[in-house]
Amino acid sequence: MAAWFRRNPRRPETPRLRPRADDLITTRVDLHEFAPPLLEFLGRAAYVELTLFENLSRAISSAPTVGAKATIGGAAEITLARHRALIEEIRRAGGDPAAAMEPFIRPVDQFEREVHGADWYEVLVTCYLTTGFLDEFFAKLASGLDERDASRIAAIFTGPSGEPLLARELESAIEANPRLASRLAMWGRRLVGDTMLVARSTLHFGPNHRSDEERIEPVFTELIAAHTRRMDALGLTA
Amino acid sequence: MAAWFRRNPRRPETPRLRPRADDLITTRVDLHEFAPPLLEFLGRAAYVELTLFENLSRAISSAPTVGAKATIGGAAEITLARHRALIEEIRRAGGDPAAAMEPFIRPVDQFEREVHGADWYEVLVTCYLTTGFLDEFFAKLASGLDERDASRIAAIFTGPSGEPLLARELESAIEANPRLASRLAMWGRRLVGDTMLVARSTLHFGPNHRSDEERIEPVFTELIAAHTRRMDALGLTA
C-alpha cells in the first residue's frame, strides 16, 4: 500500500494560498501518462457525477428546512450540469452514454454504499468532501487527456463550485449543535480513504505499479491537502 | 364542486395542432384578475418546482437502467433550473427564498404524498403528467402577473421541456411490458384531480366563488385537454 493511502495522513505543508490554476499545471505532467482512454474517462466521470448528484438529491429530500433545500439545490444544479456536460462529451466522442457508464456502475455504487452516511449531516459532509475531492481529481486528470480535448473537458470540473454553499450549511449546523463536530470530523476522516480509492482506480498503471504509485504520490498529497482545508473550513480536524 | 373537477372528464374537442403560444394568449385575460401577489406566486411555484425536481430525483435513483437515469437527468436539469430561476426572481423581488416558500410546504407536501406512486413506473408517470400540467398552468398564470414581470417569469415555464424525454422512457417501458398500460392509465386518471386542486389553490377568488369558478373553467378545460394529449402520447386512455 502506497504511502499516500494512510487513513490519518500527516498534515502536508502546502502553502494555503496557492491559486488553483497552479495546482493544475503542477500535476499535469504527472498524470498525463496514466490517463485512461477518452471514453473510459468520460463514462466513469459521468457516472461518478451522477452519483454525487444523487447524494445531493438525498440531502435535499431529507433537509430539515426549506432554506437548506434551496441552498443545496444550488450545489445540485452544478453537479447535475457536470454530469450532463459529460454525457454530451460522450456523444461528441461518438459513444453511447449508457454503454460508456455501464462498466463503472458496480464499483461506483459500491463506493456510494461505503460513503452513504447515517443521517442528513453525514450525507451533507459526504457531498461536501467527496464532490470537492473528485472534481479536483477529475480536473487534474482531464488536463492530461489528448490536447484537443483536455482544456474543454477540464473546464467541466472547474468553474462555479457548490462547495461554499455546502460549507455554509454545514457551518451553521455545527454552530447550532457543537456536539456534531467530533462525529462529523470522524466521518470526514473515514471518507478520504474510499474517495482516494475510487479516484485511484481511474488511473492506468504500467507494469511497474510500485514505482508508478510513488510517482503519483504528490498528486494525492495535494488532493489530501485540499481535503484538509475543506475540513478546516468547517472547524473540523482532519 | 365545479364541472371542471370531474375525475373522468369527457374528452374535450380541442384542435390538437393549435400551437402552444395561442393557448397562452387565449387564457391570459381569464386568469389575470385571479393571479396572486408576485411573491406568493413565486414562493409557491418555487416550492412546487422543487417538489417536482425531488420526484424526478427519486425516478433517477430507482431507475432500472443507467440509460434511463441519464435520460431522466435531462428532465431533472430543466425542472431544477426552473426552481433556481424562481429563487432568483424571489431575490429580485426583494424576498427571502425560504420565507417565500414556507407557507406552501404543508399543502404541496400533502399533494406530493397523494401522487407519490407505488413503484418506478408510477413515479415516472407522476413526473411526466404533473410537471406538464403544472408548468403549463404556471405559464398561463404568470402571463397574468404585473406587466413588468409577466413575460420574463412566464418564460421560466416555457422553453425546453423534459416532457419528450419522459414520454420516451415511458413508451419503451410500456412497449416492453404491455400489461403496465392499464395500471398506468388508471394512475394517470387519478393524478389529474389532485394536480388540478394544487393548481386551483393558487388562484385568488373574489367573494363570488361560484361564478369565478365558472369563469376559469375554460382554462382548466384546456389544461385537461393537454393532460389527455399527454396520456394519448403514451397510448393510454385518459
Side-chain angles (χ1 to χ4, degrees):
Chain A
M1 187 139 319
W4 53 261
F5 186 56
R6 281 189 300 253
R7 288 265 161 171
N8 291 302
R10 250 172 313 142
R11 184 167 304 200
E13 291 178 9
T14 310
R16 298 210 164 205
L17 297 172
R18 188 163 64 170
R20 186 166 177 164
D22 268 12
D23 283 8
L24 289 176
I25 290 159
T26 312
T27 54
R28 175 193 289 256
V29 182
D30 300 331
L31 285 182
H32 182 271
E33 61 194 293
F34 305 116
L38 180 61
L39 270 176
E40 184 183 320
F41 173 85
L42 294 172
R44 186 193 301 262
Y47 194 68
V48 166
E49 293 292 329
L50 181 61
T51 302
L52 296 172
F53 165 73
E54 287 185 44
N55 286 345
L56 285 163
S57 302
R58 283 199 298 134
I60 291 173
S61 293
S62 57
T65 67
V66 69
K69 278 179 192 276
T71 305
I72 303 167
E77 188 178 33
I78 291 168
T79 300
L80 183 55
R82 286 179 183 171
H83 165 71
R84 305 284 308 150
L86 289 162
I87 294 287
E88 281 314 305
E89 287 291 341
I90 291 170
R91 291 211 179 91
R92 180 186 181 129
D96 169 69
M101 289 189 282
E102 189 70 38
F104 308 107
I105 296 176
R106 187 193 285 257
V108 177
D109 284 359
Q110 175 63 33
F111 164 68
E112 200 282 317
R113 277 190 294 275
E114 299 288 344
V115 303
H116 199 80
D119 63 4
W120 184 71
Y121 303 101
E122 289 189 6
V123 169
L124 205 56
V125 168
T126 297
C127 291
Y128 171 64
L129 293 175
T130 61
T131 302
F133 192 104
L134 291 170
D135 280 345
E136 200 167 324
F137 173 74
F138 285 137
K140 283 176 193 291
L141 193 58
S143 56
L145 291 169
D146 202 272
E147 211 169 289
R148 226 176 20 198
D149 307 304
S151 65
R152 194 184 66 252
I153 295 175
I156 293 174
F157 301 99
T158 53
S161 158
E163 210 171 286
L165 299 171
L166 301 180
R168 196 207 304 159
E169 274 311 308
L170 281 165
E171 269 177 290
S172 51
I174 294 169
E175 201 176 284
N177 184 1
R179 291 171 64 190
L180 278 172
S182 65
R183 177 159 69 89
L184 296 184
M186 199 150 58
W187 180 244
R189 286 195 291 273
R190 239 216 68 184
L191 291 174
V192 71
D194 290 310
T195 310
M196 277 202 292
L197 280 181
V198 90
R200 184 186 171 286
S201 64
T202 306
L203 302 173
H204 279 220
F205 290 129
N208 192 344
H209 270 236
R210 205 183 169 80
S211 82
D212 283 352
E213 285 191 351
E214 274 167 28
R215 286 175 57 210
I216 62 160
E217 197 177 317
V219 176
F220 281 89
T221 302
E222 276 182 28
L223 290 167
I224 292 169
H227 171 85
T228 304
R229 281 195 293 275
R230 273 178 217 110
M231 298 275 278
D232 281 349
L234 305 183
L236 306 179
T237 314
Chain B
M1 187 139 317
W4 53 258
F5 187 55
R6 283 188 300 254
R7 289 266 161 170
N8 291 301
R10 251 173 312 142
R11 184 167 304 200
E13 291 178 7
T14 310
R16 299 211 163 205
L17 296 172
R18 188 164 61 172
R20 186 168 175 162
D22 267 11
D23 284 8
L24 289 177
I25 290 158
T26 312
T27 54
R28 175 195 290 256
V29 180
D30 299 331
L31 285 181
H32 182 271
E33 61 194 293
F34 306 116
L38 180 61
L39 269 176
E40 184 183 321
F41 173 85
L42 294 173
R44 188 193 299 262
Y47 194 68
V48 166
E49 293 293 328
L50 181 61
T51 302
L52 296 172
F53 164 73
E54 287 186 42
N55 285 343
L56 284 163
S57 302
R58 283 199 298 134
I60 291 173
S61 293
S62 57
T65 66
V66 69
K69 279 178 192 277
T71 305
I72 303 167
E77 187 179 32
I78 291 167
T79 300
L80 183 54
R82 286 180 183 170
H83 164 71
R84 303 285 307 150
L86 290 161
I87 294 288
E88 281 313 306
E89 287 291 341
I90 291 171
R91 291 211 179 91
R92 182 187 180 128
D96 169 69
M101 289 189 282
E102 188 72 36
F104 309 107
I105 296 176
R106 188 193 284 255
V108 177
D109 284 0
Q110 176 62 34
F111 164 68
E112 200 283 317
R113 277 190 295 275
E114 300 288 344
V115 303
H116 199 81
D119 62 4
W120 183 71
Y121 302 102
E122 290 190 4
V123 169
L124 204 56
V125 169
T126 297
C127 292
Y128 171 64
L129 293 174
T130 62
T131 302
F133 192 104
L134 292 169
D135 280 345
E136 200 166 323
F137 172 75
F138 285 136
K140 284 176 191 293
L141 193 58
S143 56
L145 291 169
D146 202 89
E147 212 168 286
R148 227 176 19 200
D149 307 306
S151 67
R152 194 185 66 252
I153 295 176
I156 293 174
F157 301 99
T158 54
S161 158
E163 210 170 287
L165 299 171
L166 300 180
R168 195 207 304 159
E169 274 310 309
L170 281 165
E171 271 177 288
S172 51
I174 294 169
E175 203 176 283
N177 184 2
R179 292 171 63 191
L180 278 172
S182 65
R183 177 159 68 90
L184 296 183
M186 199 150 58
W187 181 243
R189 285 196 291 274
R190 239 217 67 183
L191 290 174
V192 72
D194 290 310
T195 310
M196 277 202 292
L197 280 180
V198 89
R200 184 186 171 288
S201 63
T202 306
L203 302 173
H204 278 220
F205 290 129
N208 192 342
H209 270 239
R210 205 183 169 81
S211 82
D212 282 352
E213 285 190 351
E214 274 167 25
R215 286 174 57 210
I216 62 159
E217 198 177 316
V219 176
F220 281 90
T221 303
E222 276 182 27
L223 290 167
I224 292 169
H227 172 86
T228 304
R229 282 196 294 275
R230 273 179 218 112
M231 298 276 277
D232 281 350
L234 306 182
L236 306 179
T237 314

